[in-house]
Amino acid sequence: MKIAINGAGGRIGRTLVAALRSKHDMTLLDKDEGCNLAGLNSFDAVIHLAVDFTDAQESIEMLAVALKTADTPRFIYASSVTVDPHSGVDEADKTYVQAKKDGEAMVYHWLAGKDGSRAIALRFGHFHPGSVPPHEHEAVRLTENGLVYWVERALSDEPQVSRLTVWTATGNGG
């Protein structure tokens, strides 16, 4: 499968690249290269992980560029479990949570004009390999195996829907 990964140099991106490298033909983009997919060959999937933790507006702008230039039947958006008010995790940075909510809405609207395409928002839990999460985040911890499981599931042909599908991606997966 031919995949573009925006945010490939981040913590989640590096983990995914290492796990998926032997299985897929990947084009890796990071903040320095931007999220512009125009002019690149078409992809079977785009995984958008790019985020600017210090500037929520910058994160939204990176997503907008990716959506505008993505020529793909499958778009995977890295959201956050904190978007769900019932997750039990209260993120102190409300701007970050709002940016993730806005991102999910943007992906939903992008999908409305794309017949035959599908999009999945993976609401990732606490992912910091090797660290101990704060007590309130333990229930939504995402392991490296869990991360790979959820992304591979999103890349599979399993979700046969033409609307935005949202999955809470926590634990070890499967």
Side-chain angles (χ1 to χ4, degrees):
M1 181 177 282
K2 191 169 181 182
I3 301 170
I5 301 180
N6 282 333
R11 182 178 30 235
I12 290 176
R14 289 188 311 267
T15 301
L16 281 179
V17 168
L20 302 178
R21 178 171 297 166
S22 65
K23 300 175 187 177
H24 302 284
D25 175 14
M26 295 185 290
T27 297
L28 309 178
L29 300 169
D30 204 27
K31 189 175 179 179
D32 294 337
E33 294 92 21
C35 296
N36 190 340
L37 301 165
L40 301 175
N41 293 328
S42 296
F43 299 98
D44 299 310
V46 170
I47 303 172
H48 186 80
L49 307 170
V51 64
D52 186 325
F53 287 105
T54 61
D55 188 344
Q57 186 58 38
E58 177 68 20
S59 293
I60 290 296
E61 289 170 11
M62 287 188 292
L63 176 59
V65 168
L67 290 171
K68 182 178 180 182
T69 60
D71 177 21
T72 182
R74 194 171 315 188
F75 195 92
I76 300 167
Y77 173 63
S79 188
S80 171
V81 70
T82 59
V83 169
D84 179 359
H86 305 292
S87 69
V89 179
D90 185 27
E91 175 63 52
D93 185 352
K94 302 300 182 201
T95 305
Y96 171 79
V97 175
Q98 189 60 51
K100 290 299 184 180
K101 284 181 186 179
D102 293 346
E104 286 185 15
M106 288 171 65
V107 173
Y108 176 81
H109 289 295
W110 169 83
L111 189 59
K114 303 281 187 183
D115 288 338
S117 292
R118 56 190 165 172
I120 298 168
L122 292 176
R123 289 183 176 171
F124 289 128
H126 180 92
F127 185 75
H128 293 277
S131 73
V132 176
H135 176 70
E136 63 274 13
H137 289 201
E138 184 60 45
V140 295
R141 172 182 250 177
L142 177 63
T143 66
E144 290 182 48
N145 289 340
L147 171 68
V148 174
Y149 166 82
W150 286 108
V151 171
E152 286 184 331
R153 184 175 172 199
L155 290 171
S156 77
D157 289 330
E158 176 189 340
Q160 299 292 326
V161 294
S162 59
R163 58 179 170 75
L164 178 63
T165 303
V166 177
W167 290 336
T168 299
T170 60
N172 287 317

mmCIF file of all heavy atoms in Angstrom, residues 15-46:
data_model
loop_
_atom_site.group_PDB
_atom_site.id
_atom_site.type_symbol
_atom_site.label_atom_id
_atom_site.label_comp_id
_atom_site.label_asym_id
_atom_site.label_seq_id
_atom_site.Cartn_x
_atom_site.Cartn_y
_atom_site.Cartn_z
ATOM 1 N N THR A 15 7.303 5.885 15.626
ATOM 2 C CA THR A 15 6.904 4.535 16.011
ATOM 3 C C THR A 15 6.209 3.829 14.844
ATOM 4 O O THR A 15 6.495 2.665 14.545
ATOM 5 C CB THR A 15 5.980 4.572 17.243
ATOM 6 O OG1 THR A 15 6.679 5.210 18.316
ATOM 7 C CG2 THR A 15 5.541 3.186 17.667
ATOM 8 N N LEU A 16 5.311 4.542 14.172
ATOM 9 C CA LEU A 16 4.606 3.934 13.034
ATOM 10 C C LEU A 16 5.538 3.634 11.873
ATOM 11 O O LEU A 16 5.443 2.567 11.256
ATOM 12 C CB LEU A 16 3.483 4.850 12.556
ATOM 13 C CG LEU A 16 2.220 4.825 13.385
ATOM 14 C CD1 LEU A 16 1.202 5.803 12.822
ATOM 15 C CD2 LEU A 16 1.631 3.421 13.444
ATOM 16 N N VAL A 17 6.412 4.562 11.558
ATOM 17 C CA VAL A 17 7.346 4.344 10.446
ATOM 18 C C VAL A 17 8.170 3.084 10.699
ATOM 19 O O VAL A 17 8.312 2.237 9.810
ATOM 20 C CB VAL A 17 8.250 5.576 10.233
ATOM 21 C CG1 VAL A 17 9.398 5.258 9.292
ATOM 22 C CG2 VAL A 17 7.433 6.745 9.704
ATOM 23 N N ALA A 18 8.677 2.921 11.904
ATOM 24 C CA ALA A 18 9.475 1.732 12.225
ATOM 25 C C ALA A 18 8.649 0.454 12.082
ATOM 26 O O ALA A 18 9.144 -0.554 11.577
ATOM 27 C CB ALA A 18 10.041 1.853 13.639
ATOM 28 N N ALA A 19 7.390 0.503 12.488
ATOM 29 C CA ALA A 19 6.543 -0.693 12.457
ATOM 30 C C ALA A 19 6.018 -1.019 11.060
ATOM 31 O O ALA A 19 5.804 -2.189 10.731
ATOM 32 C CB ALA A 19 5.371 -0.513 13.417
ATOM 33 N N LEU A 20 5.784 0.007 10.238
ATOM 34 C CA LEU A 20 5.141 -0.212 8.933
ATOM 35 C C LEU A 20 6.117 -0.209 7.762
ATOM 36 O O LEU A 20 5.733 -0.528 6.641
ATOM 37 C CB LEU A 20 4.079 0.868 8.707
ATOM 38 C CG LEU A 20 2.968 0.970 9.747
ATOM 39 C CD1 LEU A 20 2.031 2.126 9.405
ATOM 40 C CD2 LEU A 20 2.201 -0.339 9.855
ATOM 41 N N ARG A 21 7.362 0.148 8.008
ATOM 42 C CA ARG A 21 8.357 0.316 6.944
ATOM 43 C C ARG A 21 8.446 -0.878 6.001
ATOM 44 O O ARG A 21 8.497 -0.714 4.787
ATOM 45 C CB ARG A 21 9.716 0.585 7.567
ATOM 46 C CG ARG A 21 10.841 0.721 6.552
ATOM 47 C CD ARG A 21 12.090 1.193 7.202
ATOM 48 N NE ARG A 21 11.756 2.526 7.718
ATOM 49 C CZ ARG A 21 12.473 3.198 8.571
ATOM 50 N NH1 ARG A 21 13.579 2.710 9.018
ATOM 51 N NH2 ARG A 21 12.112 4.377 8.999
ATOM 52 N N SER A 22 8.458 -2.075 6.522
ATOM 53 C CA SER A 22 8.634 -3.257 5.671
ATOM 54 C C SER A 22 7.340 -3.680 4.970
ATOM 55 O O SER A 22 7.374 -4.501 4.062
ATOM 56 C CB SER A 22 9.175 -4.425 6.502
ATOM 57 O OG SER A 22 8.213 -4.818 7.470
ATOM 58 N N LYS A 23 6.213 -3.104 5.366
ATOM 59 C CA LYS A 23 4.920 -3.524 4.818
ATOM 60 C C LYS A 23 4.358 -2.575 3.764
ATOM 61 O O LYS A 23 3.475 -2.956 3.007
ATOM 62 C CB LYS A 23 3.893 -3.638 5.939
ATOM 63 C CG LYS A 23 4.252 -4.625 7.012
ATOM 64 C CD LYS A 23 3.235 -4.587 8.127
ATOM 65 C CE LYS A 23 3.669 -5.458 9.288
ATOM 66 N NZ LYS A 23 2.749 -5.383 10.405
ATOM 67 N N HIS A 24 4.828 -1.329 3.743
ATOM 68 C CA HIS A 24 4.210 -0.314 2.884
ATOM 69 C C HIS A 24 5.264 0.567 2.227
ATOM 70 O O HIS A 24 6.360 0.744 2.743
ATOM 71 C CB HIS A 24 3.261 0.569 3.713
ATOM 72 C CG HIS A 24 2.175 -0.198 4.394
ATOM 73 N ND1 HIS A 24 1.079 -0.686 3.739
ATOM 74 C CD2 HIS A 24 2.034 -0.580 5.686
ATOM 75 C CE1 HIS A 24 0.299 -1.317 4.585
ATOM 76 N NE2 HIS A 24 0.851 -1.278 5.783
ATOM 77 N N ASP A 25 4.867 1.145 1.095
ATOM 78 C CA ASP A 25 5.661 2.161 0.410
ATOM 79 C C ASP A 25 5.237 3.497 1.011
ATOM 80 O O ASP A 25 4.088 3.913 0.836
ATOM 81 C CB ASP A 25 5.365 2.109 -1.087
ATOM 82 C CG ASP A 25 6.054 3.200 -1.877
ATOM 83 O OD1 ASP A 25 6.974 3.852 -1.353
ATOM 84 O OD2 ASP A 25 5.657 3.413 -3.043
ATOM 85 N N MET A 26 6.143 4.151 1.754
ATOM 86 C CA MET A 26 5.752 5.338 2.506
ATOM 87 C C MET A 26 6.475 6.591 2.023
ATOM 88 O O MET A 26 7.662 6.554 1.715
ATOM 89 C CB MET A 26 6.027 5.132 3.994
ATOM 90 C CG MET A 26 5.187 4.029 4.620
ATOM 91 S SD MET A 26 5.407 3.893 6.404
ATOM 92 C CE MET A 26 7.048 3.250 6.520
ATOM 93 N N THR A 27 5.736 7.690 1.985
ATOM 94 C CA THR A 27 6.287 9.023 1.791
ATOM 95 C C THR A 27 6.154 9.722 3.132
ATOM 96 O O THR A 27 5.049 9.811 3.681
ATOM 97 C CB THR A 27 5.525 9.794 0.695
ATOM 98 O OG1 THR A 27 5.684 9.102 -0.539
ATOM 99 C CG2 THR A 27 6.033 11.215 0.565
ATOM 100 N N LEU A 28 7.277 10.176 3.670
ATOM 101 C CA LEU A 28 7.288 10.743 5.012
ATOM 102 C C LEU A 28 7.446 12.254 4.951
ATOM 103 O O LEU A 28 8.360 12.765 4.304
ATOM 104 C CB LEU A 28 8.435 10.135 5.820
ATOM 105 C CG LEU A 28 8.511 8.609 5.822
ATOM 106 C CD1 LEU A 28 9.719 8.141 6.609
ATOM 107 C CD2 LEU A 28 7.231 7.993 6.344
ATOM 108 N N LEU A 29 6.536 12.942 5.607
ATOM 109 C CA LEU A 29 6.578 14.401 5.685
ATOM 110 C C LEU A 29 6.560 14.804 7.154
ATOM 111 O O LEU A 29 5.927 14.150 7.977
ATOM 112 C CB LEU A 29 5.370 15.010 4.981
ATOM 113 C CG LEU A 29 5.231 14.691 3.495
ATOM 114 C CD1 LEU A 29 3.873 15.134 2.986
ATOM 115 C CD2 LEU A 29 6.339 15.351 2.705
ATOM 116 N N ASP A 30 7.246 15.879 7.443
ATOM 117 C CA ASP A 30 7.209 16.410 8.795
ATOM 118 C C ASP A 30 7.014 17.911 8.713
ATOM 119 O O ASP A 30 6.945 18.481 7.621
ATOM 120 C CB ASP A 30 8.484 16.041 9.557
ATOM 121 C CG ASP A 30 8.260 16.031 11.062
ATOM 122 O OD1 ASP A 30 7.122 15.807 11.509
ATOM 123 O OD2 ASP A 30 9.227 16.261 11.803
ATOM 124 N N LYS A 31 6.936 18.550 9.840
ATOM 125 C CA LYS A 31 6.603 19.970 9.885
ATOM 126 C C LYS A 31 7.497 20.818 8.974
ATOM 127 O O LYS A 31 7.031 21.737 8.311
ATOM 128 C CB LYS A 31 6.688 20.461 11.323
ATOM 129 C CG LYS A 31 6.167 21.860 11.513
ATOM 130 C CD LYS A 31 6.165 22.230 12.968
ATOM 131 C CE LYS A 31 5.654 23.636 13.142
ATOM 132 N NZ LYS A 31 5.619 24.039 14.530
ATOM 133 N N ASP A 32 8.772 20.489 8.901
ATOM 134 C CA ASP A 32 9.689 21.257 8.068
ATOM 135 C C ASP A 32 9.322 21.186 6.589
ATOM 136 O O ASP A 32 9.519 22.137 5.848
ATOM 137 C CB ASP A 32 11.132 20.783 8.260
ATOM 138 C CG ASP A 32 11.642 21.061 9.663
ATOM 139 O OD1 ASP A 32 11.089 21.965 10.324
ATOM 140 O OD2 ASP A 32 12.574 20.376 10.100
ATOM 141 N N GLU A 33 8.796 20.045 6.157
ATOM 142 C CA GLU A 33 8.388 19.891 4.763
ATOM 143 C C GLU A 33 6.965 20.381 4.543
ATOM 144 O O GLU A 33 6.517 20.499 3.414
ATOM 145 C CB GLU A 33 8.466 18.422 4.323
ATOM 146 C CG GLU A 33 9.860 17.848 4.284
ATOM 147 C CD GLU A 33 10.240 17.172 5.589
ATOM 148 O OE1 GLU A 33 9.354 16.795 6.378
ATOM 149 O OE2 GLU A 33 11.445 17.037 5.841
ATOM 150 N N GLY A 34 6.212 20.608 5.585
ATOM 151 C CA GLY A 34 4.807 20.984 5.469
ATOM 152 C C GLY A 34 3.952 19.759 5.219
ATOM 153 O O GLY A 34 4.432 18.639 5.176
ATOM 154 N N CYS A 35 2.680 19.978 5.052
ATOM 155 C CA CYS A 35 1.731 18.876 4.862
ATOM 156 C C CYS A 35 1.118 18.903 3.472
ATOM 157 O O CYS A 35 0.058 18.343 3.246
ATOM 158 C CB CYS A 35 0.644 18.945 5.928
ATOM 159 S SG CYS A 35 1.308 18.716 7.590
ATOM 160 N N ASN A 36 1.778 19.574 2.536
ATOM 161 C CA ASN A 36 1.256 19.723 1.186
ATOM 162 C C ASN A 36 1.546 18.460 0.385
ATOM 163 O O ASN A 36 2.699 18.115 0.137
ATOM 164 C CB ASN A 36 1.896 20.950 0.519
ATOM 165 C CG ASN A 36 1.229 21.305 -0.782
ATOM 166 O OD1 ASN A 36 0.555 20.491 -1.402
ATOM 167 N ND2 ASN A 36 1.415 22.538 -1.192
ATOM 168 N N LEU A 37 0.501 17.772 -0.026
ATOM 169 C CA LEU A 37 0.627 16.527 -0.778
ATOM 170 C C LEU A 37 0.496 16.750 -2.277
ATOM 171 O O LEU A 37 0.622 15.819 -3.054
ATOM 172 C CB LEU A 37 -0.435 15.531 -0.289
ATOM 173 C CG LEU A 37 -0.332 15.189 1.198
ATOM 174 C CD1 LEU A 37 -1.602 14.515 1.686
ATOM 175 C CD2 LEU A 37 0.878 14.323 1.465
ATOM 176 N N ALA A 38 0.215 17.986 -2.693
ATOM 177 C CA ALA A 38 0.054 18.298 -4.116
ATOM 178 C C ALA A 38 1.364 18.032 -4.848
ATOM 179 O O ALA A 38 2.453 18.297 -4.341
ATOM 180 C CB ALA A 38 -0.368 19.754 -4.302
ATOM 181 N N GLY A 39 1.238 17.517 -6.052
ATOM 182 C CA GLY A 39 2.416 17.256 -6.861
ATOM 183 C C GLY A 39 3.071 15.926 -6.562
ATOM 184 O O GLY A 39 3.928 15.476 -7.312
ATOM 185 N N LEU A 40 2.697 15.309 -5.469
ATOM 186 C CA LEU A 40 3.206 13.976 -5.162
ATOM 187 C C LEU A 40 2.268 12.964 -5.813
ATOM 188 O O LEU A 40 1.117 13.263 -6.122
ATOM 189 C CB LEU A 40 3.259 13.751 -3.647
ATOM 190 C CG LEU A 40 4.129 14.731 -2.861
ATOM 191 C CD1 LEU A 40 3.990 14.479 -1.375
ATOM 192 C CD2 LEU A 40 5.584 14.605 -3.288
ATOM 193 N N ASN A 41 2.747 11.780 -6.028
ATOM 194 C CA ASN A 41 1.887 10.748 -6.617
ATOM 195 C C ASN A 41 0.734 10.427 -5.679
ATOM 196 O O ASN A 41 0.818 10.639 -4.470
ATOM 197 C CB ASN A 41 2.698 9.490 -6.907
ATOM 198 C CG ASN A 41 3.728 9.704 -8.004
ATOM 199 O OD1 ASN A 41 3.508 10.500 -8.919
ATOM 200 N ND2 ASN A 41 4.845 9.021 -7.914
ATOM 201 N N SER A 42 -0.316 9.920 -6.237
ATOM 202 C CA SER A 42 -1.492 9.549 -5.437
ATOM 203 C C SER A 42 -1.126 8.470 -4.424
ATOM 204 O O SER A 42 -0.221 7.672 -4.643
ATOM 205 C CB SER A 42 -2.604 9.034 -6.350
ATOM 206 O OG SER A 42 -3.033 10.060 -7.197
ATOM 207 N N PHE A 43 -1.866 8.484 -3.340
ATOM 208 C CA PHE A 43 -1.642 7.518 -2.271
ATOM 209 C C PHE A 43 -2.888 6.684 -2.041
ATOM 210 O O PHE A 43 -3.998 7.131 -2.298
ATOM 211 C CB PHE A 43 -1.287 8.261 -0.967
ATOM 212 C CG PHE A 43 -0.036 9.071 -1.073
ATOM 213 C CD1 PHE A 43 -0.096 10.427 -1.330
ATOM 214 C CD2 PHE A 43 1.197 8.469 -0.948
ATOM 215 C CE1 PHE A 43 1.062 11.174 -1.446
ATOM 216 C CE2 PHE A 43 2.361 9.206 -1.064
ATOM 217 C CZ PHE A 43 2.295 10.565 -1.315
ATOM 218 N N ASP A 44 -2.680 5.477 -1.529
ATOM 219 C CA ASP A 44 -3.808 4.647 -1.111
ATOM 220 C C ASP A 44 -4.367 5.159 0.207
ATOM 221 O O ASP A 44 -5.538 4.979 0.506
ATOM 222 C CB ASP A 44 -3.363 3.189 -0.942
ATOM 223 C CG ASP A 44 -2.836 2.601 -2.238
ATOM 224 O OD1 ASP A 44 -3.527 2.730 -3.275
ATOM 225 O OD2 ASP A 44 -1.733 2.033 -2.218
ATOM 226 N N ALA A 45 -3.503 5.801 0.999
ATOM 227 C CA ALA A 45 -3.925 6.334 2.299
ATOM 228 C C ALA A 45 -3.003 7.467 2.712
ATOM 229 O O ALA A 45 -1.820 7.477 2.376
ATOM 230 C CB ALA A 45 -3.898 5.240 3.366
ATOM 231 N N VAL A 46 -3.580 8.407 3.454
ATOM 232 C CA VAL A 46 -2.815 9.464 4.105
ATOM 233 C C VAL A 46 -3.083 9.346 5.600
ATOM 234 O O VAL A 46 -4.237 9.237 6.029
ATOM 235 C CB VAL A 46 -3.229 10.867 3.601
ATOM 236 C CG1 VAL A 46 -2.605 11.960 4.468
ATOM 237 C CG2 VAL A 46 -2.848 11.057 2.138
#
